Amino acid sequence: MEQQAKIYVAGHRGMVGSAIVRRLQAGGFTNIITRSSPELDLRNQEATAAFFAQERPDYVFLAAAKVGGIIANNTYRADFIYENMMIQSNVIHHAYLNNVKKLMFLGSSCIYPKLAPQPLKEDYLLTGLLEPTNEPYAIAKIAGIKMCDAYRAQYGCNFVSVMPTNLYGPNDNYDLKNSHVLPALLRKFHEAKQSNTDEVVVWGTGTPLREFLHADDMADACFYLMQHYNEEGLVNIGVGEDISIKDLALLVKKITGYKGNLVFDTTKPDGTPRKLMDVSKLHSFGWKAKISLEEGITSVYNSIKDNAFL
Ligand code: GFB
């Protein structure tokens, strides 16, 4: 990417998009184009077409998506498939029509089969049934990967797909029903400590294993791969280590300084038993995660604990 290049970050108000903007700015890139959702509804084909024709960006980071945790995915099944299919179809197609030099599509580790061997290699895509709680979201993301490959094959577009593991960081969503596990636990333990509550409720059995990557590491990987990765298919972005939800809860308990107990609400779904990324392809391109889980959670906690999780 040339320093003067015009770069559109779709989803710049979200956790990942905002981290990508920070990373680009830190790298000296100043020609960054953004639009908030009220300014540009990417689900709307005409609005997206007009935006691309007017701005004609050179590079696109496609980080705009409808996202959420396990209950949000399972509850708003129609919204997750419809909104994501519309956003990515509009952006990918109009990037092609307007000769974008390179587009990076951001997917998710939930594209892999629920019971795939671990760690998850890129070629396990479409080898088995998906986890039911997030199947609509996963199908949309799989369609995004296949669109990038199809536009590469038919039109020669340099459109690439990257699959992040579970992410956390600044600008996360702390809504207790719709968020992912890490922001939910930070909020629950912090508020329990403030109010001297005896116990914190953790969803599910505590046995599922998850891998967590800080959004700043994710943005750094996207920035790096935008410059070094030009292949069809996909590349995983993760740390290559996982932790049980119970141990994650104990870590958040330690970081927040909460002294009470954990209880597990087994009426809530566990989701996929394990989602550990194989990161050998990522490492072979020369990028590795730098922020440890404890360091990352501590920095997020310190930055939000006085803001009442707004
Ligand atoms: O983060 P999470 O919602 O997403 O849940 P997934 C991870 C695990 O943490 C599940 C448990 O086993 C949850 O039951 N958990 C425990 C909690 N306490 C809580 C809590 O208070 N809130 C939440 N949210 N979970 C999502 C997918 O799956 O991961 C998306 O639905 C996407 O499509 C995203 O792929 C990265 O890892 O289960």
Side-chain angles (χ1 to χ4, degrees):
M1 269 186 312
E2 322 78 61
Q3 290 261 311
Q4 305 313 320
K6 199 174 205 184
I7 305 168
Y8 172 43
V9 180
H12 76 289
R13 285 193 167 169
M15 183 172 72
V16 180
S18 60
I20 291 173
V21 170
R22 287 195 301 276
R23 180 64 189 85
L24 288 167
Q25 287 169 338
F29 291 84
T30 50
N31 200 357
I32 303 169
I33 310 300
T34 57
R35 291 287 189 281
S36 63
S37 343
E39 287 166 346
L40 171 61
D41 182 351
L42 291 171
R43 297 167 302 184
N44 181 316
Q45 190 176 16
E46 283 176 18
T48 308
F51 165 75
F52 269 89
Q54 184 198 328
E55 291 290 354
R56 301 184 68 86
D58 299 309
Y59 295 87
V60 174
F61 289 92
L62 179 38
K66 179 162 182 70
V67 301
I70 192 166
I71 295 289
N73 268 268
N74 202 21
T75 308
Y76 307 109
R77 298 177 73 86
D79 299 349
F80 271 77
I81 192 162
Y82 170 73
E83 294 191 23
N84 286 306
M85 296 283 287
M86 294 303 285
I87 291 168
Q88 68 204 33
S89 297
N90 288 336
V91 173
I92 291 169
H93 187 62
H94 292 284
Y96 149 63
L97 289 179
N98 290 280
N99 300 314
V100 163
K101 288 183 189 165
K102 185 165 180 180
L103 174 146
M104 178 174 283
F105 172 67
L106 276 62
S108 161
S109 58
C110 68
I111 53 136
Y112 291 112
K114 174 179 176 131
L115 300 177
Q118 305 284 325
L120 297 159
K121 291 185 191 296
E122 285 85 354
D123 58 13
Y124 296 164
L125 178 66
L126 292 174
T127 56
L129 294 175
L130 298 164
E131 153 63 27
T133 53
N134 57 30
E135 190 186 63
Y137 178 73
I139 292 281
K141 290 294 185 184
I142 292 169
I145 298 167
K146 293 299 174 186
M147 267 188 90
C148 289
D149 286 351
Y151 279 70
R152 174 183 293 278
Q154 185 177 343
Y155 298 122
C157 299
N158 191 6
F159 292 174
V160 298
S161 300
V162 299
M163 296 303 120
T165 190
N166 288 31
L167 302 170
Y168 69 99
N171 298 326
D172 211 337
N173 168 15
Y174 290 91
D175 179 279
L176 286 178
K177 181 165 176 271
N178 293 322
S179 72
H180 290 101
V181 61
L182 198 31
L185 291 180
L186 275 171
R187 180 171 178 173
K188 285 182 189 176
F189 280 107
H190 178 74
E191 291 181 350
K193 181 183 157 192
Q194 303 290 88
S195 59
N196 283 318
T197 310
D198 291 341
E199 55 185 40
V200 162
V201 176
V202 179
W203 292 354
T205 60
T207 58
L209 293 153
R210 292 290 184 275
E211 175 184 358
F212 296 93
L213 180 74
H214 192 284
D216 286 343
D217 263 340
M218 171 63 187
D220 192 53
C222 291
F223 180 75
Y224 184 87
L225 292 171
M226 190 58 126
Q227 290 159 91
H228 296 98
Y229 177 70
N230 298 296
E231 294 176 7
E232 69 161 7
L234 57 161
V235 59
N236 292 335
I237 303 182
V239 289
E241 281 170 34
D242 57 5
I243 180 172
S244 73
I245 296 302
K246 181 179 178 190
D247 285 346
L248 179 75
L250 291 171
L251 180 59
V252 175
K253 178 180 168 182
K254 182 178 115 180
I255 290 168
T256 55
Y258 173 67
K259 303 287 182 226
N261 302 311
L262 311 183
V263 289
F264 292 92
D265 175 2
T266 54
T267 65
K268 293 286 194 303
D270 270 345
T272 307
R274 192 176 189 199
K275 270 197 290 192
L276 175 64
M277 292 294 214
D278 184 313
V279 283
S280 45
K281 185 171 175 183
L282 177 68
H283 289 180
S284 77
F285 278 93
W287 189 91
K288 276 190 179 162
K290 293 163 200 74
I291 304 169
S292 78
L293 185 57
E294 182 158 359
E295 181 194 343
I297 299 176
T298 305
S299 82
V300 170
Y301 181 56
N302 288 337
S303 67
I304 45 117
K305 66 184 177 190
D306 300 326
N307 300 332
F309 296 89
L310 293 174

